[in-house]
Amino acid sequence: MNAPSRPPRTLDRSAPAPGPSAAAPGWSDRVLAFAAESHVRAAALLVALCLVCFLPGLASLQPMDRDEPRFAQASKQMLETGDLVDIRFQGEARHKKPVGIYWLQAASVAAGEALGVPGARTRIVLYRLPSLLGAVAAALLAYWAALAVLARRHALLAAALFASCLMLAAEAHLAKTDAVLTACATAAFGALARAWLGRERAGEGPRAPLPAAPLPALTCLAFWLGLALGILVKGPMVPMFVGLAALPLALRARSGRWLLALRPWPGLALALLIVAPWFLAIAWKSGGAFFGEAVGHDMLGKVGGAKEKHWGPPGAYLLVFFATFWPGAAFAALSLPFAWRERGTDRVALLLAWIVPAWIVFECVPTKLPHYVLPLMPAVAILTVLAAARGALDPARRGARAVAALVVLIPAGLTLALAYAGWQLDRTLPWAALPLLAASACVAGLAWLAFARGNPERALATAILAAALLTPGVLGLAQAALPALKVSPRLAAIRDGLACPDPRVASLGYREPSLVFLIGTDLATPNSGPEAVDFLNAGGCRLVFVEERFAPDFKAAVGAAAPAPSVAGRVLGFNINGGRRVDLTAYAVIP
């Protein structure tokens, strides 16, 4: 006689969290209740939060060496040459990433030119707009993905927790691939979640061999567009994320047929229609060199060894997670016992499949950069809020208050670090930023206090408020008060101040991509003092920047050169990428 089947373990998405929040509603309860009354309100609140965190500093932050100006310069050269297939940085082929982000940046700059923005091609803010929009889209898509697991109020809280994290704010400020990639990955995961949980809604249980009815067309479209656009932005990363999540879920269900709800045949056809034209064009134009460089050198090179000195040991992502996912990191750590205990439920299994396999892969790869795990952070936020909604973030648990106190560490540490950096580099303090930084630390302290009093939901909302104070303070105000970090913009200002128009420019010693982006594609890079002098004597209005370590060689080569170069300016600063002070003198020959 067969034993009766046990009903699948599920979590009630509508059950309120136990604790004092229901008995003593505060400001966070009222805000969440108001915004959760409709999707429009929830989306409006998320967009407002994103703009507060992402807009300050978007235009004033200097091009951040080295990756950002490489992307921006390659996009600028597309506009200069009209070649929208090949990707180049000056004369060098840049066959590391597909074309998607370059097209978005070039379109943004072209729109700026059409609207009459002066000097649009050297306005880094225009190249950052796709990242800004990608980060906002990632936050909204995180809300959509969370709705598959949580009630509207908690889905909003999870999306806000993700939107306020420091890593997303940083990527929204950089003209790179990662914010857009995260939006693509989150769209795909939101659809995958609905396919997986659709089995439960059909009453088929976690071991169901058959899929539920096909998902709505827009859900399937989100999945396949996320994959296709993700491939155009960063190659195989989104398919890898989805595959690493789908595999353990299929093993758990003992079948992968639930994936048929995503309508794979028309979806694959659509994805191929989107991605194939450019890949065929670049294969023809580069003679196959793109695939050898992108796959053989860039991707496999990162797997086999640390690229560009970005090595890190296993566990490095867990260590920096407490900074990159601030303000939610400490609360995410407290949700781990809940995740382990509920790993057998469909919702928690889904979130763990989203996070754990890809995280393990990144920890095993020698090349480590903090933003690699950004597409996994929406799931971390959802899991954290799910634990809070189920009353699993218990301050009475041993060590819980101490772990939660880490929420104060980042704003307090950044305040001290920025004050120290300002004094050491420029003998000044970032006075305009200090009130916001101090307020953020105080509000983070209130978040800890709310948690200690048994109200984790209010603690999360208060921590989000702390982030809304910190990121404008750091990225909007503090960086603007540190001119020592803006070496390339200050050198470009010397060029712009010359008495002659359109001078030819060279740089001896200092070769950061930001200078190429700001000065122009034709920036010369001589290798020695005599070569720099020959450049100055080649006729016309000319300018050369000489780094201090090359100054003796340059001065010896000047000799009795005619016309003798004159000193046009000097820049002392700190090169973030090299981690050292720099001293450059500008010499000009003006007919």
Side-chain angles (χ1 to χ4, degrees):
M1 185 174 179
N2 294 330
S5 60
R6 185 174 63 180
R9 297 176 66 198
T10 60
L11 294 173
D12 182 4
R13 289 189 291 165
S14 61
S21 59
W27 69 269
S28 60
D29 305 276
R30 291 190 292 271
V31 170
L32 288 172
F34 174 80
E37 287 184 6
S38 72
H39 293 310
V40 172
R41 288 185 183 181
L45 180 63
L46 280 174
V47 170
L49 174 65
C50 289
L51 296 181
V52 168
C53 292
F54 303 160
L55 279 183
L58 198 70
S60 62
L61 182 69
Q62 72 272 17
M64 297 296 289
D65 286 305
R66 294 188 169 118
D67 273 357
E68 182 186 34
R70 284 172 175 163
F71 279 102
Q73 175 63 25
S75 300
K76 181 170 69 169
Q77 288 181 217
M78 281 189 169
L79 293 172
E80 292 172 348
T81 63
D83 186 347
L84 299 180
V85 175
D86 205 6
I87 306 165
R88 293 194 166 266
F89 180 87
Q90 291 187 296
E92 176 186 354
R94 186 167 168 79
H95 294 160
K96 292 187 177 184
K97 303 290 187 296
V99 77
I101 196 65
Y102 303 100
W103 281 351
L104 292 174
Q105 291 178 1
S108 176
V109 176
E113 288 184 320
L115 293 172
V117 176
R121 294 191 182 182
T122 53
R123 299 267 184 179
I124 191 63
V125 63
L126 294 177
Y127 297 84
R128 289 170 174 164
L129 288 181
S131 293
L132 171 68
L133 296 176
V136 174
L140 294 173
L141 287 165
Y143 170 67
W144 177 67
L147 285 170
V149 178
L150 297 165
R152 189 184 296 170
R153 172 193 178 102
H154 293 134
L156 172 60
L157 183 60
L161 190 64
F162 168 64
S164 64
C165 79
L166 287 183
M167 182 52 64
L168 187 62
E171 291 302 327
H173 283 77
L174 299 175
K176 293 165 57 249
T177 58
D178 297 281
V180 176
L181 176 75
T182 301
C184 295
T186 308
F189 275 121
L192 187 73
R194 283 160 173 79
W196 170 251
L197 297 175
R199 298 154 39 264
E200 173 193 308
R201 288 193 297 271
E204 298 172 358
R207 308 291 185 187
L210 297 175
L215 293 169
L218 287 178
T219 300
C220 296
L221 185 64
F223 180 82
W224 293 106
L225 282 180
L227 256 65
L229 297 179
I231 290 170
L232 279 178
V233 168
K234 209 168 183 178
M237 297 308 298
V238 174
M240 184 195 80
F241 288 135
V242 171
L244 288 174
L247 179 60
L249 293 175
L251 292 174
R252 181 174 183 268
R254 298 178 183 171
S255 171
R257 295 195 65 189
W258 55 274
L259 291 166
L260 295 177
L262 292 166
R263 308 183 192 188
W265 302 123
L268 283 170
L270 175 64
L272 284 174
L273 187 65
I274 292 172
V275 305
W278 179 80
F279 279 100
L280 292 174
I282 193 63
W284 175 78
K285 187 154 192 175
S286 68
F290 171 83
F291 298 99
E293 175 70 16
V295 178
H297 181 71
D298 187 58
M299 187 175 73
L300 295 182
K302 292 176 179 177
V303 173
K307 295 288 291 180
E308 300 177 355
K309 302 179 182 179
H310 296 310
W311 178 85
Y317 288 111
L318 286 177
L319 185 63
V320 301
F321 174 75
F322 285 93
T324 55
F325 193 63
W326 184 89
F331 303 105
L334 291 172
S335 71
L336 292 178
F338 165 81
W340 176 256
R341 186 173 66 249
E342 299 291 341
R343 66 191 184 279
T345 64
D346 274 3
R347 288 167 175 75
V348 175
L350 167 73
L351 296 172
L352 292 178
W354 184 344
I355 301 165
V356 176
W359 197 293
I360 291 174
V361 168
F362 285 130
E363 291 286 16
C364 292
V365 172
T367 301
K368 289 185 171 60
L369 288 167
H371 58 258
Y372 283 0
V373 297
L374 180 61
L376 311 181
M377 290 181 180
V380 177
I382 296 169
L383 183 61
T384 303
V385 174
L386 181 60
R390 300 303 300 166
L393 300 187
D394 185 4
R397 190 192 312 149
R398 187 175 182 180
R401 286 183 174 87
V403 173
L406 293 173
V407 74
V408 185
L409 186 62
I410 294 300
L414 276 176
T415 302
L416 295 175
L418 288 169
Y420 176 79
W423 187 255
Q424 287 292 315
L425 296 176
D426 294 300
R427 284 295 182 265
T428 186
L429 295 176
W431 293 110
L434 290 180
L436 277 181
L437 300 179
S440 175
C442 293
V443 173
L446 293 177
W448 176 86
L449 187 61
F451 174 79
R453 290 177 175 175
N455 197 326
E457 185 179 294
R458 189 175 302 171
L460 291 173
T462 308
I464 292 167
L465 178 59
L469 295 170
L470 183 73
T471 48
V474 174
L475 297 172
L477 297 175
Q479 60 84 15
L482 297 172
L485 304 181
K486 303 180 184 298
V487 176
S488 293
R490 291 161 65 198
L491 292 173
I494 293 175
R495 187 276 311 267
D496 295 340
L498 291 182
C500 53
D502 301 322
R504 296 293 306 276
V505 185
S507 181
L508 175 60
Y510 182 77
R511 296 186 175 184
E512 294 300 336
S514 57
L515 189 63
V516 179
F517 171 72
L518 293 171
I519 294 296
T521 305
D522 61 350
L523 174 72
T525 53
N527 295 309
S528 65
E531 289 183 20
V533 172
D534 290 343
F535 173 85
L536 283 174
N537 293 336
C541 180
R542 293 184 175 252
L543 176 71
V544 64
F545 304 118
V546 180
E547 196 174 348
E548 183 62 26
R549 57 197 170 107
F550 288 90
D553 185 38
F554 175 79
K555 291 177 180 177
V558 168
S566 59
V567 175
R570 186 183 179 191
V571 170
L572 286 81
F574 187 84
N575 186 355
I576 297 177
N577 189 72
R580 60 185 179 86
R581 293 180 182 272
V582 291
D583 183 351
L584 294 112
T585 302
Y587 296 91
V589 171
I590 302 176

